[in-house]
Amino acid sequence: MIVTDIALKHRLSVFVLMFIMVVTGFHSYLNLPKEAAPDITIPYIVISTPYFGVSPDDMENLVTNIIERELKTLNDVEEIRSTSYESYSLIIVEFVAGTDIDQALQKVRDKVDLAKPDLPEDAEDPVISEINFSDWPIMIINISGKMGLVGLKKIAEDLEDLVETVPGVIEANVTGGLTREVQVNLDPQRLRFYNLGVTDVIDAVHDEHLDTPGGSIDIGNTKFLVRIPGEFSVPEDMKNIVVKVENNRPVYLRDVAEVVYSFKEKDSISRLNGEETVSLAVQKRSGENLLEISDRVKQLIDQTMAKLPPGIKIQITGDHSKDIRTMVNELENNIISGLILVVLVLFVVMGIRNAFLVGIAIPMSMLVSFLVLTIMGYTMNMVVLFSLILAVGMLVDNAIVIVENIFRHNQEGLSLWEAARKGTDEVGMAVMASTLTTVCAFVPLLSWPGIVGEFMVFLPITLIITLTSSLFVALVFNPTLCSRFLRPSTSVHTIEAREDRLGVVLRNYLRLLKISMRRPLLTLFSSIALLVLIIMAYVLLGHGVEFFPKTD
């Protein structure tokens, strides 16, 4: 192999390259952003229009059909689905996969703007939004205790300001609780008596509850801005607003309405285990490290808990960092346990030093893969983590074949350098072909269409990167290490010479292998028959195909 010959001739450079790969690989792994789901584009745009007090039939005729009529002229649309509820219209526009969602969003806004003049005047403005995994909260912070919903919401709002200062947090939304508001409850009979309309009262309150700029005053060399404060700080003062003057007698707001400092009507409710709480949904910025953000938010919560009065509880639910941390730990455990098991198995045949030369392929291949993933701008999400765990068992295959062949040539009398060159040259093409056949099995997944394809494309890409990295390690790093650190051996030990020392499994395997090689046609037809039997067994005993398994 040309690449191996170059590596053997420049061993010092290869050792320096290995050191660089180890350092940059560890740095990439530690700094690779970890998040729950890949940041993919969901080609769905949702148009929701509230119109309170209207039946579903009227919603369809007055709102849904009018907006749909304009949306039908859009290009690159896969499907438009609409549902009309009581007081609510929901339209979902699905675009063709791969469509620029920002441009699509702007086109939908333009079409909805064209439909607005034909909508009822008292209908709310349509709300246009896109579906984005990055907008999903990474955790829900629930605040409960015997303080009342007003006090709990005040704590939540203070915590909201603190959480939004954490680097990487884009937003924290408060749900539940009660919000104070001043209610002006009009008396229809009094309005009729004073010959007033609702608009008259609204205009009077609006004009009085207002800070007014008063220009500026020049005093010597200094200019001062003048502002006339008119906003009310005490709800009781609003009762003295003059709504109308009739026959030189003022009509006050208290004459036609009741001013109450009460609570705003609830538009959201948050409960945990049957207890009403105030919740804080934390959203992170796309591409940021979920684990670091989660740790900082939890540290902030611990600091806040120390300042809160007794009886206040803060509980976290929907914490995505738990699943990601578990998967990261599983990946690390798989790498470490895989390295240990490979070294132990190969120690029996090749000795501890030689076995270690094979086992080093696992961490080296992973570090190279982390470096490539970082360069490509990927994050460590659930699909990438699953792919890496899946690939761990395949990383050592190439190294085993190459190191074992180098070891055999060294046993037969060749020097370490010559054994590394000849041993790799003999099996290099076979190892490359074996890796490429595995890689080719995942290549069709790259063209997986639709949203699921965008989501799952990280699996074949990660596996291709990891398997290619293992091939690079096997053809460059392993022969170079073997030429320097493989334990030399002057004695020749063939399989036949050690047959009496083989275990029961290996002895029977050797016997079966000899019979198979003497009867190649019988072996071939037996394999085909076994394949047919397996397919028939699956057809007869299989339980069908489903997209996701049914779980609680």
Side-chain angles (χ1 to χ4, degrees):
M1 297 293 293
I2 297 176
V3 65
T4 306
D5 293 342
I6 296 174
L8 291 173
K9 290 176 183 177
H10 303 85
R11 288 193 298 185
L12 183 59
S13 299
V14 174
F15 289 139
V16 173
L17 178 62
M18 287 180 62
F19 176 77
I20 294 173
M21 287 292 185
V22 170
V23 174
T24 54
F26 268 114
H27 182 268
S28 300
Y29 173 68
L30 294 176
N31 291 278
L32 204 60
K34 289 136 182 108
E35 57 184 2
D39 185 17
I40 65 172
T41 301
I42 308 294
Y44 285 82
I45 293 179
V46 180
I47 303 102
S48 53
T49 310
Y51 188 13
F52 300 106
V54 180
S55 66
D57 286 339
D58 291 337
M59 284 298 302
E60 183 177 15
N61 295 325
L62 298 176
V63 177
T64 305
N65 290 342
I66 294 173
I67 297 177
E68 272 191 337
R69 193 182 305 126
E70 297 293 340
L71 295 175
K72 286 177 181 178
T73 61
L74 287 169
N75 297 322
D76 300 325
V77 173
E78 186 78 25
E79 187 180 25
I80 298 177
R81 294 191 298 272
S82 64
T83 308
S84 298
Y85 304 93
E86 182 178 350
S87 304
Y88 192 73
S89 168
L90 180 66
I91 302 174
I92 300 175
V93 183
E94 179 185 355
F95 286 86
V96 176
T99 303
D100 188 331
I101 197 64
D102 292 329
Q103 292 184 7
L105 195 61
Q106 185 58 48
K107 291 178 181 177
V108 170
R109 285 198 180 102
D110 294 340
K111 296 299 181 182
V112 172
D113 288 340
L114 292 175
K116 277 184 180 179
D118 298 327
L119 296 178
E121 291 184 2
D122 50 347
E124 302 289 329
D125 286 337
V127 178
I128 303 168
S129 57
E130 59 177 311
I131 300 175
N132 194 335
F133 283 138
S134 301
D135 294 337
W136 292 3
I138 61 172
M139 66 170 64
I140 306 294
I141 304 171
N142 302 281
I143 305 169
S144 59
K146 299 178 180 179
M147 183 180 270
L149 293 178
V150 177
L152 293 177
K153 187 155 189 178
K154 178 65 171 61
I155 295 173
E157 288 172 345
D158 293 340
L159 185 59
E160 176 188 8
D161 295 335
L162 293 174
V163 169
E164 288 182 345
T165 62
V166 174
V169 173
I170 190 172
E171 193 176 27
N173 296 318
V174 177
T175 306
L178 293 173
T179 304
R180 286 282 189 180
E181 74 171 3
V182 177
Q183 297 177 355
V184 179
N185 301 321
L186 299 176
D187 188 329
Q189 294 181 354
R190 287 173 175 261
L191 288 175
R192 194 178 304 112
F193 176 80
Y194 288 108
N195 195 24
L196 289 171
V198 176
T199 307
D200 298 327
V201 179
I202 294 175
D203 292 341
V205 173
H206 179 268
D207 294 339
E208 290 292 332
H209 185 62
L210 188 68
D211 287 345
T212 307
S216 61
I217 298 177
D218 293 330
I219 300 178
N221 296 325
T222 308
K223 177 180 288 188
F224 294 93
L225 293 176
V226 178
R227 182 176 61 88
I228 303 171
E231 290 188 350
F232 295 99
S233 57
V234 180
E236 290 293 325
D237 294 342
M238 295 183 66
K239 295 180 179 180
N240 298 321
I241 294 176
V242 177
V243 180
K244 178 183 179 182
V245 177
E246 185 174 359
N247 298 327
N248 295 323
R249 293 183 60 187
V251 178
Y252 297 99
L253 183 62
R254 62 173 177 267
D255 296 329
V256 295
E258 180 186 14
V259 180
V260 181
Y261 187 44
S262 183
F263 299 103
K264 186 179 179 181
E265 185 178 354
K266 287 184 180 180
D267 54 10
S268 63
I269 297 175
S270 176
R271 288 195 183 98
L272 180 63
N273 298 327
E275 182 180 6
E276 196 157 3
T277 65
V278 179
S279 299
L280 199 63
V282 181
Q283 296 178 4
K284 76 173 188 68
R285 187 173 285 106
S286 177
E288 295 290 338
N289 196 321
L290 187 146
L291 297 183
E292 289 183 3
I293 294 173
S294 175
D295 291 340
R296 289 174 181 170
V297 171
K298 289 175 183 177
Q299 185 179 5
L300 200 61
I301 292 173
D302 292 337
Q303 295 172 359
T304 304
M305 280 293 294
K307 304 175 184 177
L308 295 179
I312 301 299
K313 296 184 295 183
I314 298 182
Q315 299 169 277
I316 297 177
T317 56
D319 187 1
H320 287 182
S321 66
K322 288 184 179 180
D323 296 333
I324 298 301
R325 205 179 299 276
T326 300
M327 294 190 74
V328 170
N329 292 336
E330 286 293 327
L331 175 64
E332 294 174 351
N333 290 338
N334 273 272
I335 294 174
I336 295 172
S337 59
L339 176 62
I340 294 173
L341 290 174
V342 166
V343 170
L344 288 176
V345 170
L346 297 178
F347 169 71
V348 179
V349 180
M350 303 171 63
I352 184 64
R353 180 185 295 188
N354 304 340
F356 180 74
L357 293 177
V358 175
I360 201 173
I362 295 177
M364 282 302 303
S365 301
M366 279 292 180
L367 292 175
V368 174
S369 301
F370 293 143
L371 178 59
V372 176
L373 289 172
T374 302
I375 293 173
M376 295 180 68
Y378 285 2
T379 60
M380 188 84 80
N381 52 69
M382 65 173 72
V383 182
V384 173
L385 282 168
F386 172 75
S387 307
L388 291 171
I389 294 172
L390 184 66
V392 167
M394 297 183 272
L395 296 181
V396 77
D397 298 348
N398 298 332
I400 288 177
V401 174
I402 287 179
V403 174
E404 194 278 334
N405 203 43
I406 294 173
F407 181 70
R408 181 178 66 84
H409 279 292
N410 176 244
Q411 283 187 320
E412 292 176 354
L414 295 179
S415 65
L416 286 178
W417 191 91
E418 189 63 29
R421 190 194 65 79
K422 187 175 181 180
T424 307
D425 189 58
E426 280 185 352
V427 298
M429 291 303 297
V431 166
M432 187 180 296
S434 174
T435 303
L436 289 177
T437 54
T438 308
V439 167
C440 288
F442 294 102
V443 168
L445 297 181
L446 294 173
S447 57
W448 195 339
I451 300 173
V452 179
E454 282 196 52
F455 189 85
M456 295 301 296
V457 74
F458 293 92
L459 186 143
I461 289 176
T462 306
L463 285 170
I464 290 171
I465 291 172
T466 310
L467 293 175
T468 306
S469 300
S470 73
L471 180 62
F472 174 78
V473 170
L475 295 178
V476 176
F477 292 164
N478 283 120
T480 306
L481 289 170
C482 288
S483 68
R484 177 66 181 81
F485 298 107
L486 192 71
R487 184 179 295 277
S489 178
T490 55
S491 57
V492 178
H493 297 287
T494 62
I495 288 290
E496 288 77 9
R498 293 185 288 133
E499 188 171 352
D500 57 332
R501 291 183 294 170
L502 294 177
V504 177
V505 176
L506 289 178
R507 195 181 302 118
N508 289 327
Y509 167 69
L510 183 61
R511 187 177 297 113
L512 178 63
L513 188 62
K514 289 179 179 179
I515 294 172
S516 300
M517 295 180 69
R518 293 194 195 104
R519 299 174 176 83
L521 291 177
L522 177 62
T523 304
L524 176 62
F525 287 118
S526 299
S527 302
I528 295 174
L530 181 61
L531 176 63
V532 173
L533 286 175
I534 291 173
I535 295 174
M536 292 175 63
Y538 177 77
V539 172
L540 296 174
L541 304 177
H543 297 288
V545 178
E546 59 183 356
F547 188 59
F548 277 113
K550 293 179 180 179
T551 58
D552 292 334

